[in-house]
């Protein structure tokens, strides 16, 4: 059968296409993952064949192939380390696995190979995801921008070609191409990616804007103040990469002593083999004694003493909504002494809600609060602004019914104007402060009321703004009738999580936010954070500086955040924890742990679980060290039979393994949560 090459070939289904892309660019694109998967599969098939009573040559062949698949890379890395006159535990583990096979314990050696190959694969995946997210962050800034020429003509140019002093035009719905200053126009800009503010910010001439932020309504002309390589987005990328490189050298405690232990074990094994030969002991007897020593002294039990409790705790945390990315992360979680929280999207829900509606004296013309809210919802129904959606959502929650507006107009940088039942409804910001240039405000006067207009809303606006709300004026036929206060809503479990975290760490939690001081103070008061522990108005580099300042004072800081602006601080912190449901891709990949269910109560619970896992690791290390010391002493000072040495070695491995796996029970999470809830400061 032949194929006509001129016949078009059908494109692969979407699912198959996604699988191909995942294989080429996802986790399976990493050789560490493919070799680890192959080793695990061969080990599983070999174990099944052994249990099923298959011929020994079959499962031996499968196990030895597992050795080759999972052990060649660490073995090669160990040999390269030898060329640099260092000895690492990877080569030691391969040697111990080969030694186990030499005395018939091929299953144990294969298990050790699989553990090490899987650990290396997980580390490679985590590194790749972080690198991909850092590169993807640059996509926030558009590749092209509209620049004005000297003749006031427009030209589209790459953003990398923009120079300081250039003026660019940003239309509604476009991302701003460079850091700069507004020279004309008005609009609202969503800059949550940079500052973390939950509400769009009104931008007028003289205001600063950032590359990668999203322009809402209105056309802005922006004078570039920083080159592309020095924008806030570019600095975020640089800070994440720098902090990631600094944290990359973090290791488990057991890995920190591997060099000395490896050298000591190799030297001791050689001595146990060579010295008896010098004393006239037969070669076979000396070799058996040396092999026995290598088996009983190998750190298999020590490795298993460390990993099972940590892996079990990671699995238990995962079942309860916390993704801990590695054993190193869990170990570091156990040492946290202070927790700092971001505000927007972390302690709050990350979207505005209608917090108050205050009717004014002029509203006594037959309009109560619900009637005013229905009119406001009718006017805002056609708006795409987050504040407008919050008003509509509040009316729906109250079950109010309204008819559509006869006309609708959105005024950039100001608000909306609509005609409902023949009456003109205007909703907009309060009047600008006296220091603003009136010439730049003349286009917004139609929807903004001055404080001295009849209606007397100035005191109400001040009261709401002092409480951390964003105040909006509602006018009916030109008369101010109500002030609407909008704010981001604090999560219901935030106050309890703050209290439990402080009790667990014995240090008061902090609030680090890019939002304004009044909004930060409101959230702090609602969650029980002391005013002295609040730092507001922070750009990403300021958050990093705050974290480093805490580190310099001796604290081991866990930072909880969710946005792109939190990523550098998440990477710089001792432990970074991201809120998973609404978190940015960069924050999720930069963080060491992710709260997948957005439950703040999981923060103190996972810290308590990590501390329990650390206690089990210490207990297991004591058990493993005791077994090793006894068996080594027996082998050196007496006649330790090889089967008994293997049994003792495997017995210690089983004991510490089962002890660590206790954390797999659901009761372990309940106990950790209870500890976080009931512990009191000393």
């Amino acid at each position: 059968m032949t194929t006509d090459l001129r016949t078009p070939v059908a494109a692969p289904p979407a699912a198959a296409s996604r699988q191909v892309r995942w294989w080429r660019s996802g986790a399976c694109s990493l050789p560490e993952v493919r070799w680890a998967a192959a080793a695990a599969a061969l080990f599983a098939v070999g174990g099944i064949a052994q249990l099923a009573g298959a011929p020994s040559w079959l499962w031996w062949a499968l196990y030895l192939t597992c050795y080759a698949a999972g052990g060649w890379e660490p073995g090669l890395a160990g040999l390269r380390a030898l060329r640099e006159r260092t000895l690492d535990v990877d080569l030691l583990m391969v040697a111990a696995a080969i030694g186990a096979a030499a005395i018939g314990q091929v299953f144990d050696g294969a298990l050790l190979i699989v553990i090490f190959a899987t650990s290396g694969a997980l580390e490679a995946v985590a590194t790749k995801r972080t690198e991909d997210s850092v590169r993807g962050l640059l996509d926030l800034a558009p590749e092209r921008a509209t620049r004005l020429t000297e003749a006031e003509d427009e030209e589209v140019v790459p953003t990398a070609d923009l120079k300081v002093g250039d003026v660019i035009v940003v239309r509604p719905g476009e991302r701003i191409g460079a850091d700069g200053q507004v020279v004309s126009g008005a609009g609202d800009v969503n800059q949550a990616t940079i500052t973390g503010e939950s509400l769009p910010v009104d931008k007028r001439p003289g205001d600063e804007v950032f590359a990668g932020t999203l322009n809402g309504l209105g056309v802005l002309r922006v004078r570039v103040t920083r080159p592309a390589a020095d924008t806030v987005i570019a600095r975020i990328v640089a800070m994440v990469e720098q902090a990631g490189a600094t944290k990359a050298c973090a290791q488990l405690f057991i890995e920190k002593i591997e060099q000395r232990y490896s050298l000591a074990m190799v030297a001791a094994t050689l001595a146990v083999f060579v010295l008896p030969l010098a004393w006239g002991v037969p070669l076979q007897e000396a070799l058996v004694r040396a092999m026995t020593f290598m088996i009983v002294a190998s750190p298999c039990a020590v490795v298993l003493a460390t990993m099972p409790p940590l892996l079990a705790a990671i699995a238990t945390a995962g079942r309860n909504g916390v993704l801990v990315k590695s054993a190193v992360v869990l170990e570091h979680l156990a040492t946290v002494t202070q927790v700092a929280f971001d505000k927007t999207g972390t302690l709050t829900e990350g979207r505005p809600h209608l917090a108050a509606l205050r009717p004014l004296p002029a509203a006594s013309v037959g309009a109560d609060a619900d009637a005013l809210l229905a009119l406001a919802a009718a006017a805002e129904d056609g708006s795409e602004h987050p504040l407008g959606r919050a008003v509509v959502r509040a009316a729906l929650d109250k079950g109010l019914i309204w008819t559509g507006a006869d006309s609708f107009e959105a005024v950039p940088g100001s608000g909306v104007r609509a005609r409902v039942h023949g009456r003109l409804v205007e909703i907009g910001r309060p009047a600008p402060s006296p220091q603003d240039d009136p010439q730049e405000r003349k286009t917004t006067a139609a929807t903004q009321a001055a404080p001295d207009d009849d209606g007397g809303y100035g005191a109400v606006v001040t009261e709401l703004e002092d409480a951390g709300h964003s105040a909006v004026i509602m006018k009916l036929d030109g008369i101010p009738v109500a002030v609407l206060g909008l704010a981001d809503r604090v999560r219901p479990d935030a106050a309890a999580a703050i209290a439990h975290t402080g009790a667990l760490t014995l240090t008061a939690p902090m609030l680090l936010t890019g939002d304004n001081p009044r909004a930060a103070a409101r959230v702090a008061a609602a969650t029980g954070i002391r005013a002295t522990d609040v730092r507001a108005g922070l750009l990403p580099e300021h958050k990093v500086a705050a974290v480093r300042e805490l580190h310099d004072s001796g604290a081991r800081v866990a930072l909880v955040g969710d946005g792109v602006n939190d990523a550098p601080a998440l990477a710089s912190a001792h432990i970074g924890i991201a809120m998973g449901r609404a978190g940015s891709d960069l924050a999720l990949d930069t963080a060491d742990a992710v709260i997948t269910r957005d439950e703040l109560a999981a923060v103190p619970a996972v810290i308590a679980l990590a501390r329990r896992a650390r206690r089990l690791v210490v207990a297991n290390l004591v058990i493993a060290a005791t077994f090793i010391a006894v068996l080594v002493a027996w082998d050196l000072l007496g006649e330790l039979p090889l089967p008994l040495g293997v049994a003792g070695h495997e017995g210690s491995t089983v004991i510490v393994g089962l002890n660590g796996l206790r954390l797999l029970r659901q009761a372990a999470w309940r106990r950790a949560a209870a500890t976080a809830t009931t512990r009191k400061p000393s």
Side-chain angles (χ1 to χ4, degrees), residues 209-521:
V209 292
F210 304 105
T213 55
L214 183 64
N215 183 30
L217 299 174
V219 178
L220 301 176
R221 291 192 176 189
V222 177
R223 177 174 289 110
V224 178
T225 57
R226 296 189 188 97
D230 196 34
T231 62
V232 173
I233 284 288
R235 296 205 302 270
I236 290 177
V237 172
M239 286 186 290
V240 171
E241 290 178 337
Q242 180 182 5
T246 302
K247 292 177 69 173
C249 58
Q251 293 176 305
L252 287 172
F253 169 76
I254 192 61
E255 293 175 348
K256 295 176 183 178
I257 62 173
E258 69 179 33
Q259 182 69 25
R260 294 179 182 178
Y261 189 89
S262 300
L263 290 171
M265 179 180 165
V266 170
T269 301
L270 290 174
V272 171
F273 176 63
V274 173
L275 291 178
L277 288 177
W279 296 334
V281 175
L283 175 62
Q284 184 175 359
E285 182 179 341
L287 181 60
V288 171
R289 180 183 288 270
M291 292 299 300
T292 303
F293 176 85
M294 186 176 72
I295 292 299
V296 299
S298 70
C300 303
V302 175
V303 172
L304 291 178
T306 304
M307 294 306 295
L310 300 180
L311 295 178
I314 289 173
T316 298
R319 291 199 309 269
N320 290 276
V322 182
L323 172 62
V324 179
K325 295 187 177 180
S326 73
V328 174
V329 170
L330 193 79
E331 188 177 74
H332 285 184
L333 267 171
T335 64
V336 166
T337 60
Q338 185 164 27
V339 180
F341 291 86
D342 172 50
K343 182 184 78 70
T344 306
T346 302
L347 294 180
T348 68
E349 295 178 359
R351 61 176 184 174
H353 296 266
L354 182 64
L357 191 155
R358 302 287 182 83
L360 298 174
S364 59
V365 290
D368 59 14
D370 284 352
L372 290 171
L373 179 57
L375 278 174
E380 294 280 13
D381 209 4
S383 173
E384 296 182 356
H385 195 285
L387 298 183
R389 291 197 295 268
V391 171
V392 173
R393 190 163 52 245
L396 289 173
D397 291 343
K398 281 198 167 189
L400 302 180
I401 300 175
W402 61 89
T403 57
D406 300 325
S407 64
F408 173 83
E409 179 186 3
V411 182
S414 178
V416 300
R417 180 191 297 116
R419 191 162 293 279
V420 182
H421 298 307
R423 308 191 68 177
L424 180 62
V425 180
E426 298 167 289
I427 301 175
R429 299 283 193 179
S433 57
Q435 64 265 28
D436 291 330
D437 182 1
Q439 294 301 317
E440 301 292 351
R441 306 298 189 239
K442 59 185 179 180
T443 59
T444 64
T447 56
Q448 292 181 332
D452 55 359
D453 282 350
D454 57 348
Y457 63 80
V460 180
V461 169
T462 301
E463 178 188 350
L464 290 176
E465 290 184 343
D466 287 344
H469 299 113
S470 180
V472 177
I473 306 301
M474 176 180 175
K475 295 195 297 182
L476 192 61
D477 294 328
I479 300 174
V481 293
V483 180
L484 286 67
L486 296 109
D488 197 359
R489 182 182 296 169
V490 175
R491 293 179 186 271
D493 59 344
I498 293 293
H500 298 158
T501 300
L504 186 65
T505 61
L506 304 182
T507 307
M510 293 190 67
L511 176 61
L512 306 178
T513 177
D515 213 340
N516 65 77
R518 288 183 301 188

Side-chain angles (χ1 to χ4, degrees), residues 26-39:
C28 278
S29 66
L30 300 172
E32 295 91 342
V33 173
R34 294 199 292 265
W35 286 115

